Amino acid sequence: MSALSRLLVLPLLLAVDAAAATDPHSYANTDEVSVRAVALDLDVDFGKRELAGTADLQLDWHDPAARTLVLDTRDLTIERVEAQAVGGPARVLGYALDPRDPIRGSALRIRLDQPATSVRIAYHSAPQASGLQWMTPAQTAGKRHPFMFSQSESIHARSWVPLQDTPSVRFTYAAHVRAPKALRVVMSADNDVGHALDGDFRFTMDKPIPSYLLAIAVGDIAVRETGPRSAVYAEPSVVEAAAKEFADTEKMIATTEKLYGPYRWGRYDILVLPPSFPFGGMENPRLTFATPTVLVGDKSLVSLVAHELAHSWSGNLVTNAAWKHMWLNEGFTTYVENRIVEAVYGKTQADEEFILAADELRGELAEMPKPDQRLVPDFDARDADEAGSDFAYTKGAWLLRTLEVKFGRDAFDAYLRGYFDHFAFRSITTEEMLAYLEPNLLAKYPGKMSLAEVKAWIEQPGIPADASVPTSERFASIAKQRGEWLAGTRKAADLDAKGWNTHEWMYFLDGLPKPLARTQLAEFDAAWHLTGAANAEIARRWYLAAIRADYRPAREQMAAYMTRIGRRYLILPLYEELAKTPDGLAFARGVYAKAKPGYHPLTRAGVEKALATQGKD
Ligand SMILES: [Zn+2]
């Protein structure tokens, strides 16, 4: 994911039972049995807001004496469970659904009287499934057809498929999906750009993937090819702009292949979702899901595509085995993303993006509890959705950048390419990563960085003193102008800001004092009109400054922004900041009451936490 969202530190505690296997966020008895392949047969029912049908699970038994299959579910209604015998009749099996745990959902315990290599579960999802968003026509750009999409990471696949919902298990899948005619169904599988809109779609994913990469979307979705193995899917009114913005996709794929070896997934397509998509992007294999908030017309925010594409190596190919090891997905990906941006758009932009992220991380040192600043924090007792902090992303990438500088780019690139090959299609822990790092990089070039120094990055809070930081002349010039404006020696209108790109605006705004005087905001707004800015990254920073200074003229446009967009990274910080004063809280509650119907369940949960409401309706 590329959500870089500073998540609220209000842990929902989870009772960890002593018998939990390697992944505390799953009930699955993966030491006894694992799912090798999944076949879905589903009807998409927009009226009932449910997916209904069957899931066939092919099983590999590791313990011949085991007779129970434990699966993860959340809010699923189980109708029937059968054992499938090759060439023989199906046998109905007994099962029990545990009471619902607020984080993990309900374990489905299937009893097998004799060994079975396959089970079929008939079920349907709930309208409030945490991993699906069902949108009315009014909530789409086109206003004519409903839209539905999934978001399975971290542990939401279980809300639409009964399975072993842990990144430690990988499976191939096939799906037969029926939907209303005229709508297109796409999945994280082999989408056919020429498929007839006949309401009947079949998919295959022949590479083994973890459950959080299971993905589906259904809607009025058009398609434009952007290269020999890439296309953009989006609502018809958005697809042209999306194809233009993402025109460099093939260049990015070829660049990454040159650095880290072949792209192993066939096609790389992008689905641009309605604005309620709660994240920046989601690296669903063969079909990245992306927010429309990066369509700004100048390609300045396409590092999002670099990020999701990078996941085709770090994350989808080499996967964190449990969510506390998330930095193996996100830290590696954020590093690779920056290398792709450097190769395609130049070192100046790559350095600017790195500095912005590093500054943001530094800003979080004071407020993030020290234990959570480690690269492998203790998330066993918390919701897996809380694992994606900026420390996993930025500090993780910073460690790899530091390794690159210490060992030299040639040696480090060769190492990283070897790492992706060595662990391809496997799920690993930080310990396994270190066991490969030591002989293949640290000991191979002795005296550059010790295992103890690497472990300090992983196990200690904060940012180690040996962290390598780039510099930017353009940022230095902007910092100087900002200082002059704040000191009153330069007027806002005299800032040399006409040619600033998105990142330079972000840098200027990130460095403003908190809070700024209301009169200064008014002077700045009169000169540069940031209230109502179309660029969502710039608007986010401006509205944060406006809330801190209680600058009321921004409120109407800010409310429109928070209602239009559902991407958590862009709006949750605004709700959090508003909630700090009684008046701001009242305003935020008013905005939420209007915006809620258009928000994704994950966004609603985040906003309700920020507003400390109980989310009663
Ligand atoms: Zn990511």
Side-chain angles (χ1 to χ4, degrees):
M1 265 186 290
S2 73
L4 302 203
S5 64
R6 199 165 34 81
L7 293 165
L8 288 165
V9 188
L10 289 173
L12 189 55
L13 288 175
L14 169 96
V16 182
D17 57 72
T22 48
D23 181 357
H25 294 103
S26 169
Y27 288 109
N29 54 332
T30 54
D31 47 344
E32 295 178 331
V33 57
S34 50
V35 171
R36 176 163 38 89
V38 174
L40 301 172
D41 189 282
L42 296 172
D43 285 297
V44 180
D45 189 330
F46 278 100
K48 292 185 185 165
R49 299 192 159 203
E50 68 177 36
L51 295 176
T54 57
D56 290 3
L57 309 183
Q58 300 280 336
L59 305 170
D60 279 338
W61 291 89
H62 313 303
D63 178 352
R67 287 291 180 273
T68 305
L69 169 66
V70 186
L71 300 176
D72 295 300
T73 76
R74 181 187 293 121
D75 302 328
L76 294 184
T77 300
I78 306 298
E79 287 146 10
R80 189 176 69 254
V81 183
E82 296 170 347
Q84 300 290 119
V86 181
R91 289 176 289 119
V92 173
L93 298 175
Y95 65 88
L97 200 59
D98 284 1
R100 187 185 194 277
D101 174 271
I103 294 175
R104 284 177 294 185
S106 305
L108 172 62
R109 299 175 193 278
I110 299 170
R111 291 182 291 277
L112 295 137
D113 40 6
Q114 50 183 285
T117 54
S118 170
V119 297
R120 168 170 294 178
I121 300 150
Y123 72 99
H124 63 263
S125 65
Q128 78 277 15
S130 63
L132 302 177
Q133 184 175 12
W134 298 89
M135 306 177 71
T136 63
Q139 290 165 347
T140 66
K143 313 282 181 206
R144 293 199 306 132
H145 298 282
F147 202 106
M148 184 276 287
F149 64 88
S150 69
Q151 168 56 41
S152 296
E153 190 178 11
S154 302
I155 52 171
H156 301 284
R158 65 189 65 179
S159 74
W160 61 286
V161 182
L163 40 50
Q164 294 181 317
D165 196 9
T166 166
S168 64
V169 171
R170 310 181 77 94
F171 54 84
T172 57
Y173 79 86
H176 182 195
V177 183
R178 287 164 301 276
K181 279 188 184 148
L183 299 189
R184 187 189 301 273
V185 182
V186 288
M187 291 191 80
S188 52
D190 58 339
N191 298 291
D192 170 8
V193 293
H195 199 292
L197 304 183
D198 57 2
D200 192 290
F201 289 78
R202 287 174 193 272
F203 303 91
T204 307
M205 168 46 79
D206 60 1
K207 306 276 190 297
I209 60 161
S211 57
Y212 72 89
L213 296 178
L214 207 53
I216 186 170
V218 185
D220 182 13
I221 300 170
V223 58
R224 291 286 179 283
E225 300 205 53
T226 54
R229 50 182 162 170
S230 61
V232 167
Y233 291 88
E235 284 194 75
S237 65
V238 177
V239 76
E240 295 298 346
K244 261 191 206 148
E245 200 85 28
F246 300 144
D248 294 333
T249 302
E250 173 57 31
K251 215 186 282 179
M252 288 189 184
I253 303 170
T255 295
T256 321
E257 287 186 308
K258 218 180 278 173
L259 285 167
Y260 305 117
Y263 177 75
R264 305 184 198 222
W265 303 88
R267 291 188 62 89
Y268 177 80
D269 298 331
I270 300 168
L271 170 66
V272 179
L273 290 158
S276 71
F277 184 54
F279 298 105
M282 178 64 211
E283 64 271 24
N284 297 316
R286 298 181 66 115
L287 184 65
T288 280
F289 282 21
T291 172
T293 59
V294 296
L295 304 179
V296 289
D298 63 2
K299 299 183 184 171
S300 63
L301 298 176
V302 296
S303 62
L304 181 107
V305 173
H307 182 97
E308 307 312 333
L309 172 66
H311 271 307
S312 306
W313 285 260
S314 43
N316 299 6
L317 189 63
V318 182
T319 308
N320 54 216
W323 293 110
K324 69 176 172 186
H325 300 289
M326 195 177 194
W327 82 280
L328 294 178
N329 280 16
E330 298 300 350
F332 276 66
T333 291
T334 304
Y335 171 81
V336 171
E337 165 199 339
N338 201 250
R339 293 293 305 274
I340 298 172
V341 168
E342 180 187 320
V344 178
Y345 298 103
K347 187 166 158 46
T348 301
Q349 182 171 337
D351 285 350
E352 287 186 354
E353 290 183 6
F354 192 94
I355 293 167
L356 283 170
D359 284 354
E360 189 157 350
L361 189 71
R362 284 200 198 92
E364 287 173 28
L365 287 173
E367 56 188 81
M368 181 65 106
K370 285 230 164 12
D372 290 346
Q373 298 180 11
R374 298 173 297 175
L375 281 180
V376 188
D378 184 6
F379 275 102
D380 287 2
R382 293 196 228 161
D383 194 325
D385 283 346
E386 290 178 32
S389 80
D390 281 357
F391 287 84
Y393 285 77
T394 307
K395 186 180 171 184
W398 214 338
L399 166 56
L400 298 198
R401 180 191 173 87
T402 301
L403 286 165
E404 179 206 312
V405 168
K406 291 199 180 203
F407 288 86
R409 186 165 270 195
D410 288 349
F412 187 67
D413 285 358
Y415 160 77
L416 201 49
R417 182 173 177 158
Y419 166 88
F420 291 134
D421 286 340
H422 182 75
F423 290 114
F425 297 107
R426 284 173 58 190
S427 301
I428 67 168
T429 62
T430 302
E431 292 71 33
E432 288 170 277
M433 175 263 169
L434 286 172
Y436 183 82
L437 179 74
E438 212 200 351
N440 293 293
L441 188 70
L442 306 185
K444 204 165 163 185
Y445 307 98
K448 298 197 185 291
M449 195 170 182
S450 68
L451 184 62
E453 286 170 310
V454 175
K455 280 190 169 170
W457 270 85
I458 292 169
E459 292 163 7
Q460 300 298 319
I463 301 155
D466 62 352
S468 161
V469 193
T471 55
S472 159
E473 276 176 31
R474 288 187 60 88
F475 276 8
S477 149
I478 288 165
K480 185 165 165 279
Q481 295 183 53
R482 184 174 56 210
E484 290 164 358
W485 175 59
L486 291 170
T489 57
R490 190 195 269 255
K491 288 198 166 63
D494 295 335
L495 290 164
D496 187 22
K498 278 219 171 69
W500 289 355
N501 65 27
T502 302
H503 301 105
E504 289 157 0
W505 272 109
M506 288 161 71
Y507 182 75
F508 179 89
L509 295 168
D510 280 348
L512 291 176
K514 300 166 186 172
L516 209 57
R518 222 172 295 165
T519 48
Q520 284 176 301
L521 280 174
E523 185 215 348
F524 200 88
D525 213 9
W528 298 103
H529 312 292
L530 293 195
T531 296
N535 185 307
E537 287 276 8
I538 294 171
R540 169 188 188 260
R541 287 160 171 80
W542 177 250
Y543 294 140
L544 277 173
I547 296 166
R548 290 187 187 115
D550 197 21
Y551 174 64
R552 301 287 173 105
R555 276 202 172 176
E556 195 183 327
Q557 289 293 329
M558 180 166 71
Y561 172 91
M562 293 164 78
T563 309
R564 186 174 71 245
I565 295 171
R567 181 178 170 192
R568 290 159 53 104
Y569 157 80
L570 292 175
I571 60 170
L572 284 190
L574 305 185
Y575 279 105
E576 289 172 32
E577 201 61 41
L578 282 165
K580 288 179 182 172
T581 65
D583 174 75
L585 182 62
F587 172 75
R589 286 199 167 130
V591 172
Y592 181 54
K594 284 198 191 121
K596 183 179 176 179
Y599 283 168
H600 186 278
L602 289 170
T603 303
R604 291 183 186 181
V607 174
E608 279 164 20
K609 243 181 185 180
L611 302 182
T613 64
Q614 300 307 307
K616 280 183 188 121
D617 49 318

